Structures are given as structure tokens and as C-alpha cells.
Amino acid sequence: MMNYFPDEVIEHIFDYVVSHRDRNALSLVCKSWYRIERFTRQRVFIGNCYSITPERLIQRFPGLKSLTLKGKPHFADFSLVPYDWGGFLCPWIEALAKSRVGLEELRLKRMVVSDESLELLSRSFTHFKSLVLVSCEGFTTDGLAAIAANCRFLRELDLQENEVEDHKGQWLSCFPDSCTSLVSLNFACLKGEVSLGALERLVARSPNLKSLKLNRSVPLDALQRIMMRAPQLADLGIGSFVHDPDSEAYIRLKNTILKCKSITSLSGFLEVAPHCLAAIYPICPNLTSLNLSYAAGIQGSELIKLIRHCGKLQRLWIMDCIGDKGLGVVAMTCKDLQELRVFPSAPYGNPAAVTEKGLVAISMGCPKLHSLLYFCHQMTNAALITVAKNCPNFIRFRLCILEALKPDPDTLEPLDEGFGAIVQSCRRLRRLSLSGQLTDQVFLYIGMYAEQLEMLSIAFAGESDKGMLYVLNGCKKLRKLEIRDCPFGNMALLTDVGKYETMRSLWMSSCEVTVGACKLLAKKMPRLNVEIFNENEQEDCSLEDGQRVEKMYLYRTLAGKRKDAPEYVWTL
Amino acid sequence: MEKEGLGLEITELRLGLPESVVNKNEKKRVFSEIEGVGDENSSSGDRKMEKKNEVVGWPPVCSYRKKNSINEASKMYVKVSMDGAPFLRKIDLAMHKGYSDLAFALEKLFGCYGMVESLKNADNSEQVPIYEDKDGDWMLVGDVPWEMFIESCKRLRIMKRSDAKGFGLQPKGSLKGFIESVAK
């Protein structure tokens, strides 16, 4: 029936098909749909920047407007990927700049971004609107200055958790007076100072500004002036919140805050003085999102007092100084809670911090909870079984027991049954991170029940190859598997080599796989890049087949062996 | 983590379970050996001293967050001097879980071996770790509970056994007196 419609009609119908997966599916139906889909596609997501070349991407999707790219493997966040591994933005920008693509939006995660790339980006695309950089590195405030100065229609500049070198060049002052289009500005991760005057003037001429996240150099009095000029703000990240509660500035701030009724999302507090938090109680009842995970200066008791005012919270990121009792307060107060992240406040966690009790309390009070990241000192099977019963809607469940290999403290048993209950109850689970003492049994459960699982992170777990095989055989939708310090070896790696082409990537470090097995895998599967990191400075040559591999990263690719790998990376 | 005698047979594809299954507990012991550095109750018998003190990338907190969310007030940097070393170092006591952990860190810092031994058996080791407490007294490291120690420790010193004159024959109780006289 669809064949009788002219292309324009089909294009119009395709406009309503938005998700990447659905659009990918459309393109597979027939040649004519493939053709129409490719010319109308505007947004593309590339989960691994080495899976395809920029040239090929541009050739297929000439109408590209929005590109998302991810570079380094996830474990790079934990310093497991050596410096200079890769993930360079440069070739992508160069290729896009040479083409006729009218890029408007670029979202990057774990990529190496140079000032030159940012400069080229800012000059090459007249309608560029949105730049989002998450966990990137390699650039300085000079690159930001180029973006500010040259992107005339910039709507969004969002910098999240990047390592940025500060060149004290007043980048923020580079936004021209004609720039009035900003909707979102986040520079919380920058270390250096910005011109406060320039910042206030920028805010004053940006009537559409909805999201503003300041860094710690912006003091409280400047915050007050900014908030006066932007009562329409919905998302605020506070830099410094330090002032004498009796001062004029603080009283002015309190009054200004009373006018900001549209703030629904609050974060930051990178520097906090005690007894200052009461000023924000008036906006707490409107908050749906609260991120205090970088507010190291807030004590547990103050945190609890604050949360009592936040009845509408859907998303809460905090540090473990809140304690089990504090989580009890969250459970009583935040009935709409959907996402919770509890981070450790000290390198080995606060000894008085959170345990299984806090999590159980949350599960009882917050049945809508679907995303969890929880760093704690201990966990029991009984608690996990209770949580599984109370919260069957988990999509993301990441549990990190700070002491690896720790069993259930009550029964001294591994946590197989607890995690087993989670996967059995939460049929929509897509992401899972395990910890604590675990045998092969937990993987049997995962393989049996976690049908929707897409990403699995494993550390210090399992007893034999069977564990890994249960997962590879059972989890049909698995896309990313990352494993460290587990006794999985060559048999697990090589039993089902075809599986890896159905996945984005596999990471294995400090496991039992050998060079020979990796070579064999690479030979059998030419469309995988199998990378081994040889960080041993003394070895200057061949790796023996029987040698154990310290780090291996493999991923499916249409681009072949990459040409930008550093010396220690061996692509087999 | 050496695997002796594996040769090439490990690369053979077999239906049976590989040898690594036999060694399944080694993996766990490796971590607990590393972890157990801070465990005061564990035996020192077969501890492998050359194992790394810290496990890289654990707990899995991303490096940006690690650098930016630790409470400034919770850092406890103290100076550490070692007799014979040309300059002092600084160490953050809050980053360590216990005495063994600290000993490993000191060994790494100065390249001196025997710190861990010296904590367990002060009489026989070459170096004596001492610290200056809040009252200004020089104390032997290891007597009080860890939490009490980090609250009261103002600076550390690694003293050579030979500098404590006449030590080795004295009972442990008189060590403090010797240290005080030497440390002045």
C-alpha cells in the first residue's frame, strides 16, 4: 500500500518516526524506504566513534543536523584506559567541515577535543546551535572563546564533568552583544574565574535562558543579581553559596529566591557555608530534580532538613553522608522519586554512611523508582530480595559495595540470590552493575531472566568460564559487556564469536584470556577490532600467544583497523 | 599472577573446563591480599608484599568526581620525614584505611621496605615509625586505634633503628623515652 504514495508523503510520515532504533528499522524495509530514510534523517547517534568513518556517515546522511558521538570505553572513567588511547574529535569535524552538512548540534562523550577542533567547528557551520560535552578532555578556555565568539545562533553550551585547562582569557566575554539566543549555559566544571559583569550582561540579554549552571568562582552576590535578571530560569546550578547569614547580600538573596518560582531543577553548591541552606527552602517544594552530589560542604543533618521540603522530587543525586536515616526521610517525603544516586563522600566511603537498610527504606517508600546508583558499605540478600519485590520497575540498577568481594554480612553467603531476585522481578531491566561476592550462579540467573539487558558491568565476580557463557548465551539484547578482575578465560571468549557482532563492545581486563585466543578471535571475525593494550615498557616486540592479556577491548566496526592508535595498542 | 607451565595448550578450544577453573580461588585471594593490607586481623604469613597497595579504578567513581567531590575539610595532610632523605613528603591520612595501608604508602613514598614489618614487630625492624601528637609528644605508631591516631597525628617521622641508641636490648616500654630523646 505504501508503494502507491509519492515520496513526499512517505517523508512526511517518517517525520513522526523519531527514535534511532525505529529509523534504523525503517531503513531496512526496502530499497526505496532506505533511500527516503537516509535523505530525511537529521539525528544520528554513534555509540562508538570507531565503528564507522565520518566520510561514510556523511555520504549516507547528507541531511545530518544533529550528531552524537561517544569515544573511549566506559572504564576510562575509572582510569583503566591509558592516556592517549584515542577518541579524537578532529577527523570528524574536518570531514563535516569539508562536506555540505549543515551541522546544528553536537553531543560528545568521552572524546578528546582540541581547541583547533572547536575553532573549526565554530567557523564551519553557520546555524550551529548546540554543543554538549560530557567527560571530555583536551581543550582549554580558548576553544570555548571561539565557540562563544563565532556561533551566532548558539542556544546551548553544556559542559559536564570535563577536564578543561583554564587560560584566563575571559572566554565568557567573547559572546557578542548580538548573541541573545542562549537557552542553556553550563560551565560548572570550569576551574577559573569568569568576568562577572559579562556574565550578568549575557544573562540580561538572553530572555530564553532556562538553564544556567555556574562554577565555584561565581560568588553569592553575583548569583543574586543574576537571578534577578532571569526569573524565568527553570534549572539552576549554584557555584559558591558562602555568605554570612546576617549580611545584606544574603537577605537580598533570600528575597530574590522568593521570586524564582519556576526553578524545578537545582544543583551545584560547590562551596557551601553552614546555615545558608534555609534560603532555598522556598523553592524546594517545586523541585523535581536535585543534584547535591558535588556539595561536599553540606552535612548529613542539613541535607535531611532540606529534603523534608522537597515533596515533588523525581530525581535525587546525593552523597552518602545522608545516612540510612536520611534515606528514610527521602522515602517518606519523595513519593514520586524515579531516579536515585548515592555517591561516596570519602575515598573509602563514610563509615557511618549508607547500608542495605537505607535502600530497603527507599524501596518501600518510592515504588516508582526505576534508576539506581548506590555506593554502600554492605548489602544483604534479604534486602535485595525485598527491594526486588517493592520495585519491579527498575530499568537501571547499579550497586557498588565499596569493599569488593564482600559477602552478605548476616549470612556470609555470596549475593547471588539477591541479584537473582532483582533480575527475576525487574523484567524491564536494561542496565546492571554487580558487586560483592558473587559466584557463577548469579550469571546463570542473569542469563535466564535478564531478557532486556543491554549493559552489564562485572568486577571481581564469578568462578569459571561458565559465568561469562551464561550471560553471552542468555542475554539476547546485550550490547555492552565490561568485565574486570574475573576468572573468565579463552573458552568463554571463543565459544560464540558471532555474538560480538551483535554487540557494540566487550571490555575485559585482568581476566584470564590470552594473546593467542585474542588473535584467533580477530582472525575469525574480520569485522571486529580486537585491541590489546600492552603497557609493559620493557617489551618492545611480539607478544607470546600464551601470555595473559591485561586489557582487551573489542568492538564491531565497518571502518577497519584504526590509524590513530598509540603504540601500546595492538589491533590484532 | 604468574601462570607457570601453561604453554600453548591454553589456546586450544576444548569442551572441558579450562585449567583456570582450578585456580578460581586465586583470583579472589589476590584481591583480598591487596584489600587485606588494611585488615588488622589477618595473618601476615603468606601476604605478598610486592602486591600493589591500591586497586586501580576501585571503587568505580569517575575520576572527575573523585577530584572534585571530596570534602576539603576531610583531608588530613601531614608531613613525613625519613632520616637520611633530603626532603620531606606529605601524605593524606584520610586516604588510608588503617596502619597496614599507611605502611604500604610510606614504603612507596620513600622506597623503603620493611615499614609493614616494623608495625608488627617494632623490636626487630630497621625503621621505627613515630609521630608527633597534639600534645607535642613523639609516639610510636600503632598503639592506638586508627581513628584515634589520624585525629591526633600532626606529623610523621621514619627513624632509623640505629639512631635509637642502645635499642634492641631494651624492653618495648622504654622505646618512647628513647624516641623522645632522639627526636628533640
Side-chain angles (χ1 to χ4, degrees), chain B:
Chain B
M1 293 303 295
E2 314 306 293
K3 290 240 172 223
E4 273 115 31
L6 280 181
L8 287 169
E9 61 262 25
I10 199 72
T11 61
E12 277 176 46
L13 293 180
R14 290 175 292 180
L15 291 176
L17 296 171
E19 276 154 42
S20 59
V21 173
V22 175
N23 300 319
K24 66 187 171 184
N25 289 321
E26 231 179 63
K27 232 352 184 225
K28 286 186 189 162
R29 264 213 311 261
V30 167
F31 186 84
S32 60
E33 279 169 354
I34 298 168
E35 260 283 295
V37 166
D39 179 359
E40 302 311 299
N41 297 322
S42 47
S43 70
S44 59
D46 49 338
R47 195 110 311 157
K48 300 209 169 53
M49 295 305 179
E50 65 269 14
K51 290 276 184 264
K52 279 193 293 193
N53 181 32
E54 286 150 26
V55 181
V56 176
W58 192 266
V61 176
C62 79
S63 45
Y64 176 88
R65 185 174 288 281
K66 262 195 180 142
K67 283 184 210 162
N68 290 287
S69 67
I70 302 301
N71 191 349
E72 289 296 320
S74 76
K75 291 194 177 160
M76 290 173 159
Y77 277 100
V78 297
K79 288 184 190 172
V80 189
S81 60
M82 180 165 98
D83 294 358
F87 43 80
L88 280 63
R89 302 297 301 268
K90 265 205 160 159
I91 197 165
D92 182 0
L93 295 176
M95 292 291 295
H96 300 280
K97 295 193 292 182
Y99 286 115
S100 307
D101 207 24
L102 174 68
F104 259 88
L106 291 174
E107 282 191 16
K108 246 181 20 183
L109 210 55
F110 287 107
C112 60
Y113 294 100
M115 286 310 310
V116 181
E117 280 311 313
S118 74
L119 280 180
K120 295 190 172 62
N121 197 352
D123 293 351
N124 290 332
S125 59
E126 280 223 0
Q127 281 133 341
V128 184
I130 57 176
Y131 70 100
E132 184 181 3
D133 72 0
K134 280 187 174 141
D135 301 325
D137 295 324
W138 283 91
M139 316 285 292
L140 182 66
V141 170
D143 286 336
V144 299
W146 175 255
E147 290 72 27
M148 200 186 288
F149 165 71
I150 58 177
E151 283 301 313
S152 57
C153 172
K154 291 292 153 240
R155 54 186 299 174
L156 278 162
R157 177 179 162 188
I158 302 171
M159 197 176 78
K160 280 209 199 74
R161 169 75 46 197
S162 51
D163 286 350
K165 297 190 188 69
F167 186 76
L169 302 171
Q170 305 294 334
K172 215 171 179 181
S174 59
L175 181 60
K176 184 180 174 197
F178 272 107
I179 291 167
E180 281 178 43
S181 62
V182 169
K184 285 210 177 73

Side-chain angles (χ1 to χ4, degrees), chain A residues 319-519:
Chain A
M319 299 183 82
D320 64 4
C321 51
I322 195 171
D324 284 333
K325 279 227 293 271
L327 289 177
V329 174
V330 174
M332 265 187 348
T333 313
C334 310
K335 293 305 184 188
D336 290 333
L337 196 67
Q338 295 173 24
E339 180 183 336
L340 174 67
R341 294 196 190 189
V342 181
F343 293 97
S345 53
Y348 292 101
N350 181 344
V354 299
T355 67
E356 77 279 5
K357 299 187 179 61
L359 186 59
V360 169
I362 292 281
S363 75
M364 294 200 317
C366 310
K368 293 187 193 170
L369 195 66
H370 61 59
S371 290
L372 179 76
L373 172 59
Y374 196 74
F375 285 84
C376 60
H377 273 273
Q378 60 181 47
M379 185 53 58
T380 64
N381 282 312
L384 284 173
I385 290 168
T386 303
V387 169
K389 222 171 29 190
N390 294 337
C391 294
N393 298 318
F394 275 119
I395 301 172
R396 293 171 206 96
F397 190 88
R398 293 195 279 164
L399 184 69
C400 179
I401 300 164
L402 289 163
E403 194 186 312
L405 298 166
K406 188 162 182 176
D408 178 328
D410 294 343
T411 62
L412 296 181
E413 291 188 345
L415 292 174
D416 302 331
E417 297 306 310
F419 280 105
I422 293 285
V423 293
Q424 200 173 353
S425 165
C426 306
R427 304 321 289 258
R428 275 175 283 189
L429 194 69
R430 297 206 303 252
R431 183 168 178 184
L432 178 65
S433 297
L434 306 171
S435 59
Q437 189 182 93
L438 296 163
T439 71
D440 285 345
Q441 184 70 12
V442 71
F443 300 112
L444 176 64
Y445 290 140
I446 291 172
M448 266 170 63
Y449 296 112
E451 286 166 9
Q452 302 301 320
L453 196 66
E454 295 176 8
M455 182 169 176
L456 179 62
S457 307
I458 311 171
F460 304 104
E463 302 160 298
S464 77
D465 285 333
K466 280 199 289 195
M468 186 168 162
L469 286 173
Y470 291 141
V471 172
L472 292 174
N473 288 338
C475 299
K476 300 299 180 200
K477 297 213 175 161
L478 195 64
R479 290 190 296 120
K480 286 181 284 184
L481 180 58
E482 45 188 28
I483 305 172
R484 66 163 293 178
D485 293 273
C486 296
F488 304 143
N490 298 335
M491 185 182 82
L493 183 70
L494 295 172
T495 295
D496 180 7
V497 296
K499 174 79 177 172
Y500 306 124
E501 263 193 19
T502 70
M503 292 167 55
R504 185 188 299 173
S505 63
L506 168 68
W507 168 282
M508 290 180 79
S509 59
S510 304
C511 296
E512 304 295 326
V513 294
T514 65
V515 174
C518 293
K519 281 186 183 169

Side-chain angles (χ1 to χ4, degrees), chain A residues 230-302:
Chain A
Q232 79 282 3
L233 273 180
D235 180 10
L236 177 65
I238 290 178
S240 173
F241 207 69
V242 177
H243 237 288
D244 186 347
D246 295 329
S247 66
E248 280 277 327
Y250 186 65
I251 294 168
R252 269 201 302 272
L253 177 74
K254 280 207 287 196
N255 292 330
T256 303
I257 284 176
L258 289 171
K259 299 195 182 82
C260 292
K261 286 303 184 181
S262 39
I263 295 180
T264 55
S265 172
L266 193 61
S267 61
F269 294 91
L270 308 175
E271 268 177 17
V272 195
H275 315 301
C276 271
L277 286 185
I280 59 164
Y281 290 171
I283 46 176
C284 288
N286 301 327
L287 291 179
T288 55
S289 169
L290 180 62
N291 179 358
L292 296 176
S293 62
Y294 283 102
I298 300 182
Q299 309 280 12
S301 52
E302 286 189 63

Side-chain angles (χ1 to χ4, degrees), chain A residues 223-231 252 256 259-260:
Chain A
L223 171 68
Q224 185 266 329
R225 290 192 295 273
I226 286 166
M227 286 175 81
M228 281 288 282
R229 296 197 187 272
R252 269 201 302 272
T256 303
K259 299 195 182 82
C260 292

